[in-house]
Amino acid sequence: MNGMAGVLRRGEMRDVMEKYVRPEKNPGTACSGCGLRLAHRKVLEAIDELGLGLGDVVWGTGIGCSGRQTFVTWKGDTFAGTHGRVYAMATGLRLALPPEKRLILTVGDGDAFTIGFLHLLNCARRNVDMTVVVFDNLGYQSTGGQYGVTTPLGSRTDSSPYGAWEPNWTQGGFDVLRILKEAGATFLARHTVLQGHEPVESLKRAIRNRGLSLVQLIYPCVTHYGAQALGTRDLAKIYDWFRDRTVESIDADSSDSFTTGIFHDAVGSRPEFAASMREFVASVQKEGNHG
Amino acid sequence: MKRTFDTGNAAITEGAILAGCRLFSGYPITPATEIAENMSRRLPQVGGFYLQAEDENAALHICNGGSIGGLKAMTATSGPGFILFADPFGWAVSSEIPVVIVNSQRVGPVSGITGAPGQGEFYFSRYLTHGGNYETIVLAPNSVQEAFCLTVRAFYLAERFRTPVTVLADQMVTDGWETLIIPETDEEFRGMGLESVPRRIHPGPEFYPASDAIDIPPVVLGHNTGAACSDWTPTDRGHDTEDVTWQHKHAWRLIHKIRNHRELIDESETWFLEDDPEIILVAYGTPSRVVQSAVRAARKEGLKVGGIRPISLWPFQDALFSRKASYLTVELNWDGQLVREVQRAAAPGSSVHFWGRCGELPSVRELLAAVRRLKEGKALERDGWRTEAW
Amino acid sequence: MAERIEILISGFGGQGVVRIGQILGQAAVYEGLFTTMLISHGTETRGGYVRSQLVISDEFIDSPVVERPDYFCAFSAIAYGMFKVLCTPQSLILHNPDLVTPDSALSARHWAIRAESLAERELGNAVFANVIFLGALSSKLKSISSENLVRALQDRLPPRYHEQNLRALELGRSL
Ligand code: SF4
């Protein structure tokens, strides 16, 4: 994205932001220049394009930059979970909510793929109807920049001063999305926020899915990842690095790139958990009490 | 009225269902597994949801999630699972969401002994999460029937106070079998002194007022109220803030909505307190049953002994200990926990003593022997332990 | 006037220690009596013992602990060895002499019941031994009628086991 497109998109941003975001939370807490605002906006655009209103969505958030940016921004019903546990909360909430309500969680890569991964895997196993949007800033940035499981190998961060060397879940033949696929998730996609409308299309499909959807949205952190790992706070340079690293194919070699696209589309292939639960309960009630 | 012979686990299950519990999430653990098993059978029959979680942390989070969706929810565990509640318990306290927690105390620390009773979570149940700045409600049954009644009570208080309520039982209460009377009509329910309130829905979008008021409906999502529910320090609209003034208002509400309504919470049983007791035995949970026998037996011997059983443990009922006396707490632990609180609360000039054991109950004989030693001014000993050295 | 009866039942896991306590307790509840039963377990899978401490009374039971058993059903030598010290001259110890050798130093009364071999001979299976013990024990408990005992047994056991267990109960009661 260059300067021109940036200006144009900022204009649009105000519209969906005004429509859906509590005025006192607009534009949010992200550092200036951070890709997080773009990410936030992509979700709102998807909601907008699906024609969903404030009453159609319940919005939950995790902890970290993404949690801070999106927490209690949604003008409708919204909640914030503890770090990594919002998936478990959402499972309980899903059982209580009417099935047509869309449940969207905006979380970080640390929240989803490390501290909360056990819970996320179990949501995938059950195919609980929720859309998890992972705003991936390539590590722990809200705590000042430490490496995580999506941090590119070799990156210098405050906790990897010699370069990140621990195996991660995005390189060396690993892909965190594959684990989630095996666990039973029914829609999985990965994009960067610099990819224009493509992420919005994936988000729309994710939100429509009556099951566990996850969209990994990689975005540039200026303040920490940019400064520490890329050695620059210059937006243009950071964005260039992102663009160079992005491959418009989900199957490509990921050793030095962000492979993007729809990773797994099995929408409708498995029963959704809350629906199955309701059916099960109804069948027990119908067959009478055996206890 | 249904009269049966059943376990505390069954009593807790039936109490929860009568109180309107429609979501149970838990993780199997001795000796609370049977609650989960009973729930898995009973909840679908009444249209409720049983959900086996990946761990206890998830279990209580699932309950919290169900509760913010409007379901009355409960989880049950024992020590090694109870420690994993720190995170979701804190969330429910600070977000002011009703939920009920049952802990059947066993022998610890860590795995300890699975099928034997302990009382090691007296303080832990009070300080189950970090950060302080809150008050909490803990109820301790000493019989199967009371496990039933206090479970109903826990749901009632959780709704009115918008907070988690813990039923602190022990293995003897939950695994033990006893006569259990279950009401079958609303009239019988009320006749047994039981109360219940339905879940109400906070109109939103403002958060709770900075006051000690109770009976404010908790936040429920999905009703288009623009409700915001979170564990961050809230302003009056529920937003996150780093402002200490708002934090203070929040803490004040968390503490005083409970402390200023003690009349709804405080509950105790006492024996011979009006008959000039010189020595007063203190216990909660199953040991209090033996204490009750011991107090009676001591009176028969002409000893001036009384007894106190706190039923609500937290907030602690200091007023129960306003008499100057020699207090002896009887606990299922070797380190002495309740005794510390009694020492703090006891009237000036009192002396406070401790008789502990873990894994099995004391006998009346042993307690009488301890009482006699106290009367003679001798230190309490057992198996070579200076049990007084708590 | 309160009458408190203390019963201790102990043996290996799988010997029906808890089950016969449940039936007896249930029968007592049908009689309108108060009953408590503490179960100690957790060691049964490791070859230890299971113990039921049953107290039956016509008023609220404060201590549920069996300190001086009126009746002690000792199903194994380990259980007998563990709990015989609680017995007084008033105690009656029900035991199978094929499994438990009475301690002649004890002042308690002993009642030898060869329940296993009786069950095998009369019912074709030693598993009914515990219900024979239950029958024998219950014949001493004046406050529990045989009707309520039968009702409790039918409540606590699946219907397909009723017939043989009722015969075992009768066998025990007629000893
Ligand atoms: S620390 Fe980085 S990721 Fe977080 S808000 Fe600032 S720029 Fe964005």
Side-chain angles (χ1 to χ4, degrees):
Chain A
M1 179 190 300
N2 54 34
M4 267 305 289
V7 171
L8 201 70
R9 293 209 180 270
R10 268 200 295 279
E12 285 175 9
M13 188 190 315
R14 229 179 343 263
D15 291 332
V16 279
M17 291 293 273
E18 265 164 27
K19 185 169 176 186
Y20 293 120
V21 170
R22 298 177 189 227
E24 64 275 30
K25 294 291 225 147
N26 189 358
T29 54
C31 305
S32 94
C34 177
L36 187 48
R37 287 206 182 84
L38 280 174
H40 188 180
R41 200 199 67 207
K42 300 275 181 221
V43 182
L44 297 172
E45 278 175 7
I47 291 170
D48 192 37
E49 289 181 21
L50 288 172
L52 299 174
L54 294 173
D56 298 322
V57 173
V58 174
W59 191 310
T61 53
I63 304 287
C65 292
S66 56
R68 279 276 170 177
Q69 166 66 27
T70 52
F71 163 68
V72 191
T73 51
W74 182 247
K75 279 182 189 165
D77 293 1
T78 173
F79 69 103
T82 51
H83 196 24
R85 321 294 174 197
V86 70
Y87 321 100
M89 286 186 68
T91 302
L93 178 58
R94 183 75 268 178
L95 290 171
L97 285 179
E100 63 277 7
K101 292 261 181 203
R102 304 293 76 216
L103 182 51
I104 298 175
L105 310 178
T106 47
V107 301
D109 47 295
D111 197 288
F113 299 149
T114 60
I115 190 168
F117 200 49
L118 169 66
H119 310 303
L120 185 57
L121 285 174
N122 279 282
C123 287
R125 173 175 65 81
R126 298 186 178 112
N127 197 29
V128 186
D129 183 9
M130 64 178 85
T131 299
V132 180
V133 188
V134 180
F135 293 162
D136 179 0
N137 53 12
L138 305 177
Y140 299 96
Q141 311 306 347
S142 75
T143 45
Q146 296 82 29
Y147 70 94
V149 296
T150 60
T151 309
L153 291 172
S155 301
R156 278 174 201 265
T157 71
D158 276 2
S159 65
S160 56
Y162 307 104
W165 61 269
E166 252 194 70
N168 62 24
W169 267 342
T170 53
Q171 290 166 290
F174 293 104
D175 192 333
V176 67
L177 296 189
R178 193 178 314 127
I179 305 174
L180 287 161
K181 178 185 166 188
E182 290 300 321
T186 38
F187 184 81
L188 296 162
R190 174 167 49 233
H191 300 279
T192 80
V193 291
L194 305 181
Q195 285 179 303
H197 205 254
E198 247 179 275
V200 178
E201 288 302 324
S202 283
L203 283 163
K204 279 157 69 178
R205 181 118 178 109
I207 293 167
R208 270 202 309 259
N209 178 25
R210 295 285 173 103
L212 193 282
S213 301
L214 182 140
V215 177
Q216 182 185 0
L217 267 185
I218 309 172
Y219 73 90
C221 161
V222 182
T223 309
H224 297 298
Y225 193 77
Q228 293 161 9
L230 305 179
T232 178
R233 282 172 195 264
D234 183 329
L235 268 184
K237 283 189 184 146
I238 295 170
Y239 282 28
D240 276 346
W241 181 85
F242 254 73
R243 255 194 312 270
D244 289 348
R245 213 181 154 83
T246 304
V247 183
E248 306 254 330
S249 159
I250 198 75
D251 308 314
D253 176 13
S254 66
S255 44
D256 280 311
S257 53
F258 300 136
T259 57
T260 61
I262 292 173
F263 184 86
H264 178 57
D265 188 338
V267 172
S269 66
R270 293 183 64 205
E272 192 277 323
F273 179 70
S276 302
M277 174 72 94
R278 273 187 276 270
E279 260 172 50
F280 160 72
V281 167
S283 76
V284 171
Q285 287 191 293
K286 202 169 141 219
E287 281 163 30
N289 297 356
H290 299 297
Chain B
M1 221 81 104
K2 196 171 133 203
R3 230 179 113 89
T4 79
F5 182 60
D6 223 323
T7 61
N9 287 318
I12 287 164
T13 305
E14 295 306 321
I17 283 173
L18 273 183
C21 176
R22 289 301 177 267
L23 172 65
F24 178 95
S25 186
Y27 186 91
I29 184 170
T30 307
T33 308
E34 209 191 293
I35 300 175
E37 291 172 349
N38 288 335
M39 279 293 190
S40 74
R41 182 172 47 83
R42 291 287 285 122
L43 272 175
Q45 295 172 351
V46 296
F49 306 128
Y50 168 82
L51 187 43
Q52 214 155 282
E54 51 270 24
D55 61 26
E56 287 84 352
N57 183 327
L60 187 50
H61 272 109
I62 287 168
C63 290
N64 286 345
S67 190
I68 58 172
L71 295 171
K72 289 189 185 174
M74 179 173 98
T75 185
T77 192
S78 188
F82 196 53
I83 61 171
L84 298 184
F85 287 165
D87 191 356
F89 174 81
W91 189 93
V93 163
S94 188
S95 305
E96 304 190 50
I97 294 302
V99 68
V100 171
I101 296 167
V102 177
N103 176 12
S104 175
Q105 296 177 98
R106 69 188 214 193
V107 176
V110 290
S111 291
I113 297 175
T114 57
Q119 290 185 322
E121 285 103 78
F122 173 73
Y123 279 115
F124 193 54
S125 66
R126 168 63 185 83
Y127 297 106
L128 187 52
T129 193
H130 73 101
N133 296 333
Y134 70 97
E135 186 60 78
T136 193
I137 302 171
V138 178
L139 311 174
N142 80 343
S143 70
V144 169
Q145 187 66 50
E146 200 172 71
F148 172 85
C149 294
L150 289 187
T151 303
V152 174
R153 186 89 191 149
F155 276 94
Y156 171 77
L157 294 175
E159 290 296 325
R160 291 195 65 183
F161 284 88
R162 316 181 299 278
T163 194
V165 175
T166 303
V167 176
L168 193 67
D170 57 63
Q171 181 266 342
M172 293 264 169
V173 164
T174 56
D175 273 356
W177 290 71
E178 203 166 358
T179 312
L180 171 64
I181 295 166
I182 296 176
E184 290 177 299
T185 64
D186 287 351
E187 211 178 358
E188 288 174 356
F189 185 85
R190 283 191 301 273
M192 287 174 72
L194 300 171
E195 293 169 282
S196 182
V197 282
R199 172 59 59 85
R200 292 168 307 146
I201 295 160
H202 193 268
E206 300 82 15
F207 204 54
Y208 312 118
S211 82
D212 63 358
I214 59 169
D215 294 326
I216 299 169
V219 166
V220 175
L221 305 181
H223 294 266
N224 239 341
T225 55
C229 186
S230 98
D231 51 335
W232 298 93
T233 297
T235 64
D236 53 353
R237 296 214 51 201
H239 300 171
D240 57 320
T241 176
E242 302 266 321
D243 180 342
V244 290
T245 317
W246 280 112
Q247 209 289 325
H248 181 199
K249 285 182 184 173
H250 182 50
W252 193 89
R253 179 174 59 233
L254 295 183
I255 295 165
H256 292 289
K257 70 177 176 182
I258 292 174
R259 286 194 186 158
N260 290 354
H261 296 95
R262 294 287 298 267
E263 70 284 359
L264 288 170
I265 303 165
D266 288 356
E267 216 180 323
S268 62
E269 185 178 6
T270 60
W271 306 289
F272 299 104
L273 271 204
E274 304 314 316
D275 295 314
D276 239 3
E278 289 164 4
I279 297 172
I280 299 176
L281 271 55
V282 188
Y284 75 92
T286 317
S288 66
R289 303 274 292 261
V290 187
V291 161
Q292 187 181 357
S293 289
V295 169
R296 281 196 196 170
R299 281 281 164 176
K300 264 188 203 148
E301 278 186 26
L303 296 167
K304 289 191 156 184
V305 175
I308 295 174
R309 170 170 84 97
I311 296 172
S312 56
L313 288 188
W314 300 105
F316 198 71
Q317 300 176 70
D318 288 19
L320 289 173
F321 306 92
S322 56
R323 173 184 302 270
K324 186 179 151 200
S326 178
Y327 290 96
L328 175 65
T329 73
V330 179
E331 311 180 39
L332 293 179
N333 61 63
W334 295 111
D335 56 310
Q337 299 192 6
L338 174 63
V339 64
R340 293 166 197 270
E341 215 49 27
V342 172
Q343 189 184 45
R344 189 189 53 72
S350 298
S351 64
V352 180
H353 311 269
F354 166 61
W355 194 100
R357 168 182 292 170
C358 201
E360 56 185 335
L361 290 173
S363 67
V364 172
R365 229 177 309 189
E366 287 169 310
L367 294 186
L368 283 177
V371 164
R372 285 188 209 104
R373 280 185 81 91
L374 271 189
K375 205 168 157 44
E376 292 160 17
K378 292 187 195 153
L380 300 182
E381 279 181 5
R382 185 177 167 273
D383 299 342
W385 285 58
R386 275 292 297 260
T387 54
E388 282 283 51
W390 44 278
Chain C
M1 179 60 206
E3 198 205 5
R4 177 184 166 110
I5 301 169
E6 298 191 357
I7 300 166
L8 185 67
I9 308 168
S10 184
F12 294 115
Q15 281 187 310
V17 167
V18 175
R19 180 74 77 185
I20 71 169
Q22 285 170 357
I23 296 169
L24 201 53
Q26 181 77 64
V29 168
Y30 287 146
E31 295 290 349
L33 300 168
F34 289 87
T35 312
T36 60
M37 178 170 73
L38 297 182
I39 311 288
S40 309
H41 63 76
T43 53
E44 69 266 53
T45 49
R46 282 164 245 146
Y49 63 88
V50 188
R51 175 177 45 156
S52 295
Q53 304 181 62
L54 229 91
V55 181
I56 298 171
S57 173
D58 53 8
E59 63 174 30
F60 178 79
I61 296 159
D62 35 29
S63 174
V65 179
V66 170
E67 294 188 36
R68 293 183 182 82
D70 297 289
Y71 303 95
F72 174 24
C73 293
F75 287 172
S76 74
I78 292 176
Y80 182 80
M82 297 263 329
F83 302 116
K84 66 183 182 185
V85 291
L86 297 176
C87 293
T88 67
Q90 278 73 49
S91 304
L92 178 62
I93 303 178
L94 288 69
H95 68 289
N96 184 343
D98 297 334
L99 303 170
V100 172
T101 313
D103 179 348
S104 56
L106 280 191
S107 57
R109 296 164 297 148
H110 283 76
W111 183 7
I113 302 170
R114 292 203 144 78
E116 264 83 1
S117 51
L118 187 62
E120 223 159 282
R121 198 172 61 237
E122 298 290 327
L123 298 159
N125 196 329
V127 296
F128 298 106
N130 55 44
V131 179
I132 293 177
F133 266 104
L134 172 64
L137 171 64
S138 67
S139 68
K140 302 285 175 193
L141 305 174
K142 299 291 167 255
S143 52
I144 296 177
S145 70
S146 101
E147 293 73 43
N148 277 327
L149 199 66
V150 167
R151 194 177 147 206
L153 186 144
Q154 286 169 338
D155 268 8
R156 289 287 163 187
L157 297 176
R160 64 180 183 282
Y161 300 128
H162 284 179
E163 197 194 319
Q164 279 168 304
N165 276 293
L166 287 174
R167 279 179 59 205
L169 192 71
E170 231 4 85
L171 275 175
R173 286 183 76 86
S174 59
L175 284 173

